[in-house]
Amino acid sequence: MPELPEVETVRRGLVPVMEGRVITQAAVNREGLRWPFPAGMAGRLSGARVTALRRRSKYILADLSTDETLLIHLGMSGRMLISGQMLGTFHHDHPAPKKHDHVVLDMDGGARITFNDARRFGAMDLMPTATAESHPLLSSLGPEPLGNTFDEPYLAARLKGRNTPIKSALLDQHIVAGLGNIYVCETLYRARIAPQTKAGNLRAGQVAALVPIIREVLAEAIEAGGSSLRDFRQADGELGYFQHSFQVYDREGKPCVTLGCGATVGRIVQSGRSSFYCPVCQR
DNA sequence: ATGGGGGCCTGCCGGC
DNA sequence: TGCCGGCAGGCCCCCA
C-alpha cells in the first residue's frame, strides 16, 4: 500500500518511541510474511537498542546496538500501531491483539509497536548494519527521488531508448526508488505527459520537468502526512495513512481538475495496473 | 537486457 | 442478507 511518503510518515511517527530506545521484548507470531523471518529474529531483537531509524525507498531500516539492522517493508497492507504511549494523553493499556498482528515490539519507554499486515506482502529481515545496502532488496534500487543524485541527466540517461511506457518506467524501482502507482499517476498528470508515452520518446523538456515535479509531489505528500500525523496518532495509535486529495488517482469518470479543461479522467491498464489520466491535458 | 505477465494473500465493495 | 467477481498503493520471478 504505502509509497515513499507514507513510509516516511510512518518512520517519523516511530522515531519518538523507537529511536534511542531498547526493545525489551519482541514477539513473533508466525514464521514469516512474504518470506520467512530470519532465524531467531525475536531473540536477536530483544534487548537491542535502536540507534537510528532510517528510510531507503519504501523500506524502514532500524539500526541496532547489536550491529544488525532490522529491515521493515509494509507491502500493500502493512501497518504499524503504537500503543501505551499517547501524546500527552493518560493512556497505558494495550489494545487486545487483532487478527494479522504478526510482530510485536515492546520498547523500554512503555510503547508497544505492532506490525499488522493482512495481506502479508510485507517483510522483515535482519542483516549486518555494515552491509545493509547490499541486502538483496536494497542493492539494485535506483536513487532516492528526493536525493541529490536524482537529477535530469540521470533520468534522461535511464529513459533513453526505452520502449516501455513512461508510467511503467517511473514505477520501476531500479530507475527511481519509492514511487508507486498513486504518485506516478499524479506526477504524470502534473507533467502533462500521457502515461502511454514511450519513455524513450519524451522530449528533453519533459524529462527535465519530471524531476522537480516528482520531488514536489512527494514532498507535498510527506508534508500532508506530517501534518495529519499530529492528529492521527491517537485513539488506536495507527500511524500512517492520511487522507490526501488526488488530482487523478482513483478519479475515473470525474472531471479533470484543470480549470476550463472540461474533460473526464480516464483509466487504462498498463502492466496490469490502473493508470488514471486526463486524455486532454496529458499528451 | 528488456518488456510483459503471473502469482503471492486477504479484505472490501458493488452488483445481483 | 449472502455470494461472487473484481479490484487494491508492491515486489519477485519467469518467459519470450
Side-chain angles (χ1 to χ4, degrees):
Chain A
M1 215 153 160
E3 305 182 33
L4 186 155
E6 290 75 27
V7 175
E8 176 62 17
T9 298
V10 170
R11 187 194 69 81
R12 292 181 185 186
L14 289 174
V15 163
V17 290
M18 283 192 89
E19 215 167 53
R21 299 285 190 180
V22 173
I23 302 169
T24 54
Q25 187 172 12
V28 175
N29 298 331
R30 56 179 298 120
E31 299 282 302
L33 296 170
R34 176 156 185 184
W35 297 282
F37 292 132
M41 183 167 79
R44 287 157 73 182
L45 292 175
S46 299
R49 182 181 299 276
V50 177
T51 57
L53 205 56
R54 302 181 284 139
R55 180 189 57 74
R56 171 74 169 108
S57 185
K58 303 172 192 173
Y59 299 88
I60 292 171
L61 302 174
D63 294 331
L64 306 175
S65 55
T66 53
D67 294 330
E68 291 199 294
T69 292
L70 171 67
L71 174 149
I72 303 169
H73 186 61
L74 301 175
M76 299 262 281
S77 56
R79 317 222 141 197
M80 300 296 256
L81 293 108
I82 299 174
S83 57
Q85 192 187 73
M86 289 298 119
L87 299 162
T89 309
F90 181 79
H91 186 244
H92 36 83
D93 286 330
H94 299 298
K98 294 201 301 251
K99 198 176 177 183
H100 310 305
D101 284 352
H102 304 310
V103 176
V104 179
L105 304 178
D106 283 323
M107 309 302 299
D108 69 348
R112 168 174 289 178
I113 298 150
T114 302
F115 183 18
N116 180 288
D117 182 12
R119 291 177 67 185
R120 306 209 301 269
F121 284 6
M124 280 197 182
D125 203 0
L126 280 164
M127 66 274 201
T129 301
T131 58
E133 64 212 43
S134 57
H135 187 280
L137 292 171
L138 306 182
S139 62
S140 62
L141 289 175
E144 285 290 315
L146 297 175
N148 293 332
T149 63
F150 180 65
D151 57 16
E152 192 220 330
Y154 167 82
L155 187 61
R158 295 304 305 267
L159 299 182
K160 187 178 179 188
R162 293 292 297 264
N163 203 37
T164 199
I166 185 63
K167 166 72 188 310
S168 307
L170 294 181
L171 275 179
D172 184 345
Q173 304 298 299
H174 303 104
I175 294 179
V176 57
L179 294 172
N181 205 29
I182 292 178
Y183 295 111
V184 170
C185 289
E186 295 297 311
T187 291
L188 291 176
Y189 176 74
R190 286 201 201 185
R192 303 172 65 90
I193 296 170
Q196 310 94 317
T197 312
K198 306 280 192 196
N201 288 350
L202 290 182
R203 296 185 303 274
Q206 291 178 306
V207 176
L210 276 174
V211 170
I213 290 174
I214 287 169
R215 289 211 171 100
E216 269 170 34
V217 165
L218 296 177
E220 285 175 23
I222 291 170
E223 183 67 20
S227 55
S228 68
L229 193 58
R230 281 195 288 278
D231 348 299
F232 203 64
R233 210 190 89 204
Q234 16 63 343
D236 62 355
E238 182 169 330
L239 271 186
Y241 313 133
F242 44 93
Q243 300 303 313
H244 196 66
S245 60
F246 304 118
Q247 295 186 301
V248 283
Y249 179 78
D250 205 23
R251 295 194 66 246
E252 183 183 12
K254 297 191 172 134
C256 171
V257 296
T258 296
L259 219 56
C261 170
T264 295
V265 174
R267 182 177 79 94
I268 56 173
V269 176
Q270 298 177 282
S271 313
R273 319 288 304 275
S274 289
S275 297
F276 299 91
Y277 69 107
C278 173
V280 171
C281 293
Q282 293 175 253
R283 296 289 174 179

